[in-house]
């Protein structure tokens, strides 16, 4: 009889330990260990899952000379969405396991139901542990499309889902969500790390053995990580992350791991009354806010973690009503803002000491990347002179205490992200080694500035 025992698992990286620890020895995170029941009998499959080996038992792979391996896109299946096909590197690969993560309400279920409805040639099994088939039908009616070849299964048992998939042999299996399904092999309840790992390993084995691509939907924790997660990131072939504010219409689907393509791609969607709409020109995301040229806003190309993206910084500079001017910042360090104001005053001669200055980072974001400095300086000057900054301009540079504009890391990625989002011109440091002598990268015109006065001249000429 299998014996129950408990172990401690790190919720951040999945590391297992026989006893509680304040800090996870594997990833160094604090207070992330939780106790979970493990069944001794499931050790084998767990080991298989964590090592990723032994999963292809029964498959008859033979070594091939590297030179003989064909590069044709033979095993690629189109998902009917141009954007997601591009994100995956030209369609989904046979037998691959894809994880789509995102916060609740962001549109994961909508997207994964839209795929079969818009790709009627693809027979799909959509297994949901979250919604009943009736609820899914109602959503499907709203989304429109072709309902012929899409099968719905309201089920949470991994074994049953796989048994049904084997019977139906679909061209694509979607599991919504990995946190609601459970396998008999693990004794703990759904959503625990052991369950997520065991279940994902089962789906991986099914995908590899049958050649059917499997899409797993995963929820995200508060701090933006896939819940249960790092372990899943190792197992799956592709990780797509849905980002954005569920209160706003625009969503970004970002590839953060892809064994079959590039990870620097993003796809932009708009949530409408009839589901998600692909936004092929993402710059339209920022354009509605710039119907007319407004002063006091500038866009920064920042990198958060490993991801480049663009944020709008807003400043309001007005004559102080009281003796001591007010300074306040939302989403940005107020001390750094004061430093920037002092630099603008002392090094570039702008008279800001007697002005109230309010700063805001749009979208409720909190930014710590020093590359935001240049956009903030531009927004402050723009508001001060009441001269708008063109909505086609982006900024990426750190400002030093002597007013010089310092180069920032990964400038190429920032420029290409700005280019992808429809900007035409970016202000950067002239001291950047990577950009020596280059004034154009792709569609972007690169404006190199040595110091604040220089930028101001080039910006408001
Ligand atoms: P959903 O796909 O259920 O999110 P997730 O699976 O990531 O939790 O999306 C839910 C939100 O999308 C919900 O707030 C309603 C909205 N929505 C629309 O605006 N239009 C639509 O056509 C659909 C289906 C959903
Ligand atoms: Mg859902």
């Amino acid at each position: 009889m299998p014996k129950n025992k408990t172990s401690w698992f790190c919720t951040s990286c999945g590391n297992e330990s026989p006893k509680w620890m304040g800090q996870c020895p594997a990833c160094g995170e604090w207070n992330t260990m939780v106790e979970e029941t493990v069944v001794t009998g499931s050790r084998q499959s767990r080991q298989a899952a964590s090592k990723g080996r032994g999963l292809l038992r029964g498959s008859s792979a033979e070594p091939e000379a590297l030179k003989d391996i064909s590069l044709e896109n033979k095993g690629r299946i189109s998902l009917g969405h141009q954007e997601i096909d591009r994100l995956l590197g030209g369609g989904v690969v046979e037998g691959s396991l894809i994880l789509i993560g995102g916060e609740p309400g962001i549109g994961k279920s909508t997207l994964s139901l839209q795929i079969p409805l818009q790709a009627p040639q693809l027979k799909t099994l959509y297994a949901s542990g979250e919604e009943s088939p009736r609820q899914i039908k109602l959503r499907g009616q709203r989304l429109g499309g072709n309902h012929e070849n899409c099968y719905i299964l309201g089920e949470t048992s991994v074994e049953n889902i796989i048994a049904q998939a084997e019977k139906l042999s679909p061209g694509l299996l979607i599991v919504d969500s990995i946190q609601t399904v459970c396998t008999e092999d693990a004794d703990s309840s759904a959503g625990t790390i052991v369950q997520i790992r065991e279940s994902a390993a089962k789906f991986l084995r099914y995908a590899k053995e049958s050649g059917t691509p499997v899409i797993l939907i995963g929820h995200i924790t508060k701090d933006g990580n896939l819940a249960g997660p790092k372990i899943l990131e190792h197992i799956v072939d592709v990780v797509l992350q849905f980002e954005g504010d569920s209160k706003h219409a625009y969503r970004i689907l970002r590839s953060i791991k892809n064994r079959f393509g590039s990870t620097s791609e993003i796809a932009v969607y708009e949530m409408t009354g009839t589901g998600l709409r692909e936004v092929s020109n993402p710059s339209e995301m920022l354009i509605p806010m710039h119907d007319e040229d407004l002063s006091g806003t500038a866009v920064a190309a920042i990198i958060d973690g490993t991801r480049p993206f663009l944020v709008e910084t807003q400043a309001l500079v007005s004559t102080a009503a009281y003796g001591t001017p007010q300074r306040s910042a939302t989403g940005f360090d107020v001390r750094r803002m004061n430093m920037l104001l002092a630099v603008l005053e002392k090094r570039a001669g702008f008279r800001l000491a007697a002005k109230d200055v309010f700063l805001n980072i749009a979208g409720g974001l909190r930014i710590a990347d020093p590359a935001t400095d240049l956009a903030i300086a531009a927004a402050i000057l723009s508001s001060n002179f009441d001269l708008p900054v063109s909505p086609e301009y982006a900024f990426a540079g750190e400002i030093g205490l002597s007013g010089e504009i310092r180069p920032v890391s990964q400038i190429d990625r920032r420029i290409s992200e700005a280019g992808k989002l429809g900007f035409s011109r970016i202000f950067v440091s002239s001291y950047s080694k990577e950009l020596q002598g280059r004034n154009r990268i792709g569609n972007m015109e690169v404006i190199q500035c040595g110091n604040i006065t220089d930028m101001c001249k080039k910006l408001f000429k």
Side-chain angles (χ1 to χ4, degrees):
M1 218 185 100
K3 193 168 140 270
N4 278 350
K5 74 166 183 120
T6 63
S7 252
W8 294 84
F9 290 90
C10 170
T11 48
S12 162
C13 70
N15 180 47
E16 184 178 349
S17 142
K19 61 178 193 336
W20 181 84
M21 275 184 265
Q23 185 186 24
C24 169
C27 67
E29 288 288 321
W30 288 90
N31 292 328
T32 52
M33 304 297 273
V34 291
E35 189 175 23
E36 287 185 8
T37 317
V38 284
V39 179
T40 16
S42 71
R43 171 153 302 192
Q44 258 182 340
S45 50
R46 193 167 62 242
Q47 279 172 349
S50 56
K51 288 189 186 133
R53 277 188 223 117
L55 291 162
L56 294 171
R57 274 189 310 259
S59 76
S60 51
E62 300 264 332
E64 259 181 284
L66 197 53
K67 67 176 174 52
D68 295 338
I69 296 174
S70 127
L71 281 181
E72 274 172 51
N73 270 358
K74 245 199 243 148
R76 299 262 184 188
I77 305 161
S78 165
L79 291 181
H81 275 228
Q82 234 177 355
E83 288 286 298
I84 198 166
D85 280 350
R86 186 174 53 77
L87 200 59
L88 292 168
V92 59
V93 172
E94 274 177 17
S96 62
L97 189 62
I98 296 161
L99 177 67
I100 300 183
E103 288 173 10
I106 199 90
K108 304 179 295 295
S109 305
T110 308
L111 178 71
S112 48
L113 187 60
Q114 260 182 294
I115 290 171
L117 300 185
Q118 289 179 8
Q121 79 291 354
L122 194 64
K123 186 169 166 189
T124 312
L125 178 60
Y126 182 97
S128 178
E130 301 206 330
E131 289 156 307
S132 68
R134 275 178 55 89
Q135 274 174 302
I136 298 169
K137 172 76 187 169
L138 288 173
R139 186 194 295 248
Q141 276 177 343
R142 182 122 71 100
L143 298 176
N146 190 318
H147 292 209
E148 296 285 311
N149 233 348
C150 177
Y151 294 80
I152 306 294
L153 178 66
E155 179 62 85
T156 55
S157 152
V158 175
E159 284 74 17
N160 281 349
I161 294 173
I162 292 179
Q164 291 299 334
E166 275 164 355
K167 220 166 18 169
L168 187 73
S169 58
L172 173 69
L173 170 64
I174 299 171
V175 181
D176 188 4
S177 64
I178 188 70
Q179 276 101 348
T180 53
V181 294
C182 45
T183 160
E184 292 155 9
D185 269 5
D187 217 21
S188 38
S189 50
T192 57
I193 290 178
V194 178
Q195 273 294 354
I196 290 175
R197 189 158 63 181
E198 300 279 318
S199 307
K202 286 243 155 111
F203 287 119
L204 177 63
R205 198 169 310 147
Y206 166 74
K208 302 294 170 194
E209 284 175 4
S210 66
T212 313
V214 177
I215 296 182
L216 303 176
I217 311 282
H219 294 291
I220 271 190
T221 56
K222 277 190 264 77
D223 44 4
N225 289 318
L226 286 163
K230 288 286 179 223
I231 14 163
L232 279 190
E233 290 190 12
H234 296 309
I235 297 176
V236 300
D237 299 307
V238 180
V239 181
L240 302 180
Q241 191 154 312
F242 233 135
E243 294 170 3
D245 186 341
S246 51
K247 292 173 206 76
H248 289 86
Y250 291 101
R251 313 274 196 268
I252 292 179
L253 188 63
R254 193 182 290 275
S255 152
I256 53 178
K257 168 181 174 179
N258 191 350
R259 289 198 177 130
F260 317 110
S262 146
T263 51
S264 53
E265 291 291 345
I266 58 169
V268 181
Y269 286 95
E270 184 189 10
M271 183 61 95
T272 66
T274 52
L276 291 157
R277 180 182 74 84
E278 296 176 281
V279 180
S280 34
N281 174 17
S283 64
E284 66 181 75
M285 258 171 87
L286 285 158
I287 289 169
M289 293 178 242
H290 295 276
D291 279 347
E292 49 206 296
D293 285 347
L294 300 173
S295 66
T297 68
V299 173
I302 64 158
I303 289 199
D304 190 351
T306 57
R307 295 177 213 153
F309 64 91
L310 291 144
V311 290
E312 189 181 63
T313 65
Q314 305 170 334
L316 179 65
V317 179
S318 65
T319 310
Y322 305 103
T324 316
Q326 294 185 67
R327 301 283 158 90
S328 94
T330 313
F332 190 75
D333 183 4
V334 73
R335 279 170 306 177
R336 183 137 194 117
M337 177 184 80
N338 284 332
M339 186 278 278
L340 292 175
L341 290 170
V343 170
L344 289 173
E345 174 107 24
K346 169 100 182 162
R347 302 291 179 191
F350 299 110
R351 309 204 139 263
L352 298 164
K355 302 275 176 84
D356 284 343
V357 181
F358 304 97
L359 193 69
N360 180 38
I361 306 290
L365 296 172
R366 239 209 109 67
I367 308 296
D369 186 349
T372 326
D373 289 356
L374 201 55
I376 287 176
I380 290 172
L381 295 177
S382 157
S383 176
N384 190 42
F385 301 134
D386 205 11
L387 287 173
V389 173
S390 162
E392 298 194 341
Y393 295 179
F395 299 82
E398 181 181 347
I399 295 177
L401 287 183
S402 46
E404 83 279 19
I405 298 172
R406 305 169 63 93
V408 289
S409 63
Q410 307 190 49
I411 190 71
D412 288 354
R413 294 183 63 207
R414 298 175 200 261
I415 294 175
S416 85
E417 182 84 0
K420 263 187 234 162
L421 293 181
F423 287 83
S424 63
R425 198 176 265 198
I426 187 162
F427 287 76
V428 298
S429 164
S430 56
Y431 302 109
S432 165
K433 287 213 180 64
E434 294 103 306
L435 297 176
Q436 283 304 302
R438 294 165 76 182
N439 50 18
R440 188 157 269 286
I441 293 183
N443 293 332
M444 296 286 286
E445 190 182 340
V446 178
I447 313 245
Q448 307 200 13
C449 315
N451 56 44
I452 301 224
T453 324
D454 189 17
M455 179 197 72
C456 198
K457 273 191 209 136
K458 289 175 177 162
L459 186 59
F460 304 113
K461 57 186 168 215

